[in-house]
Amino acid sequence: MIEEITNQYDPVKLEKKIHELWEKTDAYSKVRERRRGGKKFFFVDGPPYTTGHIHLGTAWNKIIKDSILRYRSMNGYDILDRAGWDMHGLPIEVKVEGVLGFTTKKDIEKYGVGNFIEKCKEFAMKQKDDMTGQFLMLGAWLDWNNPYMTLRDEYIEAAWWTLKQAQEKKLLEQGKRVVNWCPRCETAIADSEVEYEDRTDPSIFVKFRIKGEENTSVVIWTTTPWTIPSNVAVAVHPSFEYSKVKAVSSDGKEEILIMASPLVEDVLRKGRYADYEVLDTMPGQDLTSLSYESPLLDMVPEQAAMEHGIYLADFVTAENTGCVHIAPGHGMDDFEVGKKNGLPIFCPVGPDGRYTEEAGEYAGMHIREANRVIVEDLLERGRLLSEDEIAHRYGHCWRCKTPIIYLATEQWFIKIGELKDQMLSEIEKVKWYPEWAGSARFKDWVEGARDWCISRQRYWGIPIPVWKCKDCGKMHVVGTREELLEMSGTSEDIELHRPYVDGILLDCECGGKMKRVEDVFDVWFDSAVASWATLHFPQKKEEFDKWWPADFITEGQDQTRGWFYSQLGASMVAFGKAPYKSVLMHGFTLDSESKKMSKSLGNVIAPGDVIDTFGADTLRSFVLSSSAPWDDLKFVSGELGNINRALNILWNVYRFPLPYMVLDEFDPSEFSLESVKPSMRKEDRWILSRSQSLVNDVDKAMEKYTLHRAIRAINEFVLEDLSRWYIQLIRPRTWVEAEDPDKLAVYRVLYEVFVTLSKVIAPFMPHLAEEMYQNLVINVNADAPESIHMNDWPVIDESLVDKELEVHMDLIRSMVEASSNARQKVGRKLRWPVSRIIVAPNKESVTDAVANLKSVLMDQTNSKDVVLTGVGESWDELGFEAIPNPSTIGPAFKGDAGKIIASIKQVDAASLKKTLASSGEYELEIAGGTKVTVTSDMVNFQESLPEMSASAQFDAGTIYVDATLTREIESEGFAREVIRRVQDMRKELDLAVDEPIKAHIRIEDERVLDLVLDLEQYIAKEIRADVQVIGLDVDSTGTLSKDWDVAGVFISIGISAS
RNA sequence: GGGCCCGUAGCUUAGCUAGGUGGAGCGCACGGCUGAUAACCGUGAGGUCCUGAGUUCGAAUCUCAGCGGGCCCA
């Protein structure tokens, strides 16, 4: 049987109970199991990094995923949805280093790589478990028991297999490149791991002495003095003009400087020169014949042995000096210039950021310290033109915040450049939500794609499966564990992490031994292979054939350059096509000031805190409804309260009929909806139609993944249609005590609406939906599916849809609103009936609506009658007031104007209006008996309302309320005033709804007493009084007694339980 | 500096694709309802639709430029 529920919506308690129920019944597995054999829906969870705690953005992400998957599941889809975890990489290494107190790689080596990665593994697993718990609190259903984890051997094999594909397709390359390098972590890091932050660096102008020309230098500018020992060349722009300038310092010393012409004044000002003279100008091209010597050739022996020339490059800008210092070992552009011109790639800096022996005198010094020393050395040698500081954006390691440097190192690359065109054509085959996420944003990113450096010089990662022969240099890429064991002749089962795989040697054809290169993969490569790794490919090819590629993925906009891209790249390498068919890109969470949430700003919202206060369903409803998925989400805590209120109203609406149903032992299984149809009223049919329209609206929204529209439609239905309208309409019907088909119809209709509604909210507010379902369905029919989430999505029943009725009801609602407005103007509260309302429509549909729903209109306006005028007509009892128009009367009648104006106000306005309307003229008698003729332009008319009436506009016409009092109306009004106060007191005594009472009522006004006594029986019935005394001097004592002032009349009431 | 997105009442937002009198909710003020009641309803005040220019009879909506915020890049 249906049960009563708690007064208060208590989401925290409710959700705990539901979680226990789900766990006890293993609901998730049963839901997925139920859809086996249905249309397949392969979802790949973008793996969050195992940081140990979720934030609002990750919560939003999982809530979107969960809602979409629940909706799909209810629509019959067979869903594959393993949760995923990104568990390798620097962030965890850095954290573990922190715990162990390590600062350099040497500490790790000393501790033992095996010990270190065990710690990393332990750490990652622990964080994963913590986060799983947090995600579960959101009610997010993914396959949490069987997640894919990047640290598993089976997962590692998927990455290995993919790299082997790259090798076979000749897309894998090893080579020297300039990469972003973190000197603390001693590894290459990806572009996407570089975080740009403000930083202050030296800003120096340096003079490079030209060979073979007396006292002449080319001037360059740099913010990295430590790269001067690595200088190999200077670049100038082919189309800029350069000047040779004789510069004179304040002490009269002269020297000749070369720089871009437009920058001469700026540069000389920096050098505090007193005067100058331009000796010559020339195009950049002319400078290429010059050569110069390093300013530090006495410090760095290699520099003395090197040729230094000037070269042309397009990337040179007209800033600073227009001559760019080129160190091919320390810059991407520099490297390109070096390669193009066959220059040496001189890089005397080691992985730890210290100079190597090649740096001569500087060997062993850290580059950050070297900055200062080198500036000093330049000054001593007279090569420093100026020294200053600059605040600029500079790249930092996203994990340890160390400023990065650029180093030319040996790395492994995937040649994305060769795949670019295919990638672009694959993008077009993918369905993007919103469309521009693919056609604009992602396309732009891919067009600028560079080769992908996949190697890292670290420990906690997937080992790059490349073995190289120590003797002949031959290389082999291992694709699977089996291949590794077979080739090495090992039978023991080893883990595929460092240092275990490092110890395995393979035999080379040359008779030598092959050893694994030491690098591990960039973690982006890990998650890039998720769509097949999660299918246990390459171990299980059948699963892959059955599911791949993914039907759907959804992640934040930052993943455009991240996971959307890395997956596409890896998939092109492996299979030559996109790994996903549709992508929903969602936004970022911002704080109330539109600033991004970050730990350093201290504005981070923990989802757990929100859940502890408002529950997960409120959080879900909030994040889903606040903005379109792809817009950023502004988190304003006040808005949470609003959403929570909406859910509370839903709770109240659902709770409202339950006590009556319980009292009447209503059993919905005994009555079909069909069987109560004859007893349904128009409003019943209306709410059924509205509920069907709601299903349709939600379907439409979900089709385009506009989840915000779905939630808003639901909230609108609950607030407007159910709470503010339907429940108000049916209240009196639920109070009827007898067996009544009219009441039964309401019960059955409400039941139908609630069951449908619980299904419609199920994807979005899964806990509340489950709660409603358990009570409404499971308590009635134990054979029904155990969980709401096992149910099918409601199919629209066309026989219940009546669009015209919905339109009519809308009109009636706007009439009721207008009537309230008019009542307020005339000062008549709703508790007091009015004799009639007059509807003056301006379109035909109003006439139909009133005819169709007259009882609803009368009921809600509390009127005894409804008068309907013809379309476009006004109420025939309206009066008219003639308003003279002095601006036309004045010029026409001059001195008599005043008399005419007075006279117009006195004549019968109705006949004046009628005559003017027909002939355009009116004979008017003015003071003194003179007759004048006035014309239409001299008089305006204004409608005037009869006494005790008021009007208000509504959507399609005007409502007039006639609030004239009659004895009957006054009697009813006062009776209801009394009833309301007694009900209030019953409530205060906490009496049961059907508990009989004794009531003693003293009314100290004879006229009012008389009016009230007219309805004595009615009052007794309404307040359930079996003893009721009403009189002028009644002793109003009782368990509770109270005095009231009703419109100036003193009324004293005492009640007690009988 | 570049690409993409966003900018509407004090706050959160609908409307923008297909141009034609700007709608809600919260908050505020006043009123109403009363067995959903720690709930609910009505009315009112409150808008340079970020700024400027253009297209058009007409622009919140289309175009361009700028400003502010976000994501990504340099």
Side-chain angles (χ1 to χ4, degrees), chain A residues 83-95:
Chain A
W85 297 102
D86 194 5
M87 305 172 90
H88 280 136
L90 258 184
I92 284 181
E93 283 198 46
V94 170
K95 274 201 176 159

Side-chain angles (χ1 to χ4, degrees), chain A residues 89 104 122 129 141 147 170 186 205 233 243 324 364-365 502 516 532 557 757 790 803 808 848 876 1056:
Chain A
T104 65
E122 210 177 279
D129 291 340
W141 273 7
K170 304 212 180 327
E186 299 187 38
F205 288 78
S243 294
V324 176
M365 190 182 288
D502 297 344
R516 196 186 75 83
W532 51 98
Q557 51 186 316
L757 184 60
M790 296 168 82
K803 284 289 171 197
H808 286 171
D848 298 340
D876 56 11
S1056 324

Side-chain angles (χ1 to χ4, degrees), chain A residues 103 199 293 371 377 397 439 527 595 771 859-860 997 1058:
Chain A
T103 52
R199 173 186 165 79
E293 64 183 30
N371 268 348
D377 290 346
C397 173
S439 66
S527 56
K595 298 272 181 271
E771 170 71 20
D859 196 49
Q860 292 302 298
I997 58 165
S1058 272

Side-chain angles (χ1 to χ4, degrees), chain A residues 45-60:
Chain A
D45 183 29
Y49 197 79
T50 43
T51 55
H53 47 264
I54 68 173
H55 55 85
L56 198 62
T58 35
W60 184 19

Side-chain angles (χ1 to χ4, degrees), chain A residues 129-404:
Chain A
D129 291 340
D130 290 352
M131 290 172 79
T132 303
Q134 294 164 39
F135 282 134
L136 283 169
M137 288 298 288
L138 301 171
W141 273 7
L142 291 173
D143 191 351
W144 295 110
N145 291 326
N146 182 27
Y148 72 83
M149 296 184 240
T150 56
L151 55 68
R152 290 276 190 238
D153 278 356
E154 62 180 38
Y155 197 99
I156 290 173
E157 270 195 284
W160 282 15
W161 181 88
T162 306
L163 193 73
K164 195 171 176 92
Q165 302 311 301
Q167 158 76 355
E168 282 172 5
K169 293 176 185 168
K170 304 212 180 327
L171 293 166
L172 177 65
E173 188 182 59
Q174 187 189 24
K176 202 165 211 183
R177 301 275 172 98
V178 171
V179 293
N180 308 299
W181 188 271
C182 175
R184 194 216 69 90
C185 301
E186 299 187 38
T187 180
I189 58 177
D191 288 342
S192 53
E193 291 168 336
V194 177
E195 210 170 78
Y196 289 84
E197 275 168 34
D198 285 330
R199 173 186 165 79
T200 305
D201 274 314
S203 163
I204 58 169
F205 288 78
V206 183
K207 295 177 278 192
F208 289 170
R209 195 63 61 79
I210 299 293
K211 285 184 180 168
E213 288 191 31
E214 196 64 23
N215 199 24
T216 303
S217 300
V218 59
V219 186
I220 62 96
W221 170 82
T222 183
T223 59
T224 51
W226 63 269
T227 58
I228 300 287
S230 312
N231 174 271
V232 169
V234 165
V236 294
H237 198 279
S239 59
F240 290 174
E241 186 199 83
Y242 289 83
S243 294
K244 224 177 221 181
V245 180
K246 183 165 84 186
V248 186
S249 36
S250 45
D251 59 6
K253 269 173 69 184
E254 292 183 357
E255 58 188 317
I256 296 166
L257 302 175
I258 297 170
M259 66 203 88
S261 302
L263 300 164
V264 167
E265 296 230 357
D266 289 348
V267 173
L268 295 183
R269 202 176 305 121
K270 291 263 184 203
R272 295 167 193 267
Y273 287 92
D275 198 10
Y276 76 94
E277 183 191 339
V278 176
L279 302 177
D280 196 6
T281 64
M282 65 213 77
Q285 174 71 47
D286 289 9
L287 297 174
T288 59
S289 59
L290 303 174
S291 64
Y292 66 93
E293 64 183 30
S294 164
L296 301 171
L297 77 180
D298 56 327
M299 300 295 288
V300 185
E302 293 259 349
Q303 281 289 353
M306 217 183 278
E307 284 293 317
H308 296 85
I310 298 179
Y311 300 89
L312 297 176
D314 288 328
F315 64 80
V316 174
T317 58
E319 289 168 289
N320 303 303
T321 73
C323 306
V324 176
H325 148 57
I326 298 291
H330 298 299
M332 311 223 182
D333 289 333
D334 309 50
F335 183 84
E336 291 305 318
V337 171
K339 237 171 84 177
K340 190 171 155 199
N341 297 293
L343 307 175
I345 311 298
F346 184 49
C347 183
V349 175
D352 55 355
R354 291 179 184 281
Y355 287 109
T356 59
E357 292 304 320
E358 285 183 316
E361 296 291 319
Y362 298 114
M365 190 182 288
H366 195 275
I367 52 125
R368 294 287 159 207
E369 293 166 53
N371 268 348
R372 207 167 18 87
V373 176
I374 285 167
V375 170
E376 284 299 315
D377 290 346
L378 290 170
L379 187 66
E380 264 173 37
R381 287 160 184 71
R383 305 298 168 86
L384 190 66
L385 182 138
S386 102
E387 183 198 355
D388 203 353
E389 283 192 332
I390 185 174
H392 62 160
R393 306 255 299 160
Y394 192 82
H396 294 71
C397 173
W398 73 327
R399 272 305 130 193
C400 67
K401 310 296 174 196
T402 306
I404 58 151

Side-chain angles (χ1 to χ4, degrees), chain A residues 905-955:
Chain A
K905 285 181 181 168
Q906 265 155 29
V907 297
D908 176 48
S911 65
L912 174 61
K913 183 172 196 248
K914 202 174 155 198
T915 312
L916 282 178
S918 57
S919 68
E921 288 182 356
Y922 184 84
E923 289 288 310
L924 185 72
E925 189 177 319
I926 61 172
T930 322
K931 285 194 172 170
V932 297
T933 305
V934 294
T935 50
S936 330
D937 61 335
M938 295 174 186
V939 191
N940 294 317
F941 292 93
Q942 193 181 320
E943 283 184 353
S944 70
L945 291 164
E947 286 289 298
M948 292 310 292
S949 67
S951 71
Q953 301 288 319
F954 70 103
D955 288 353

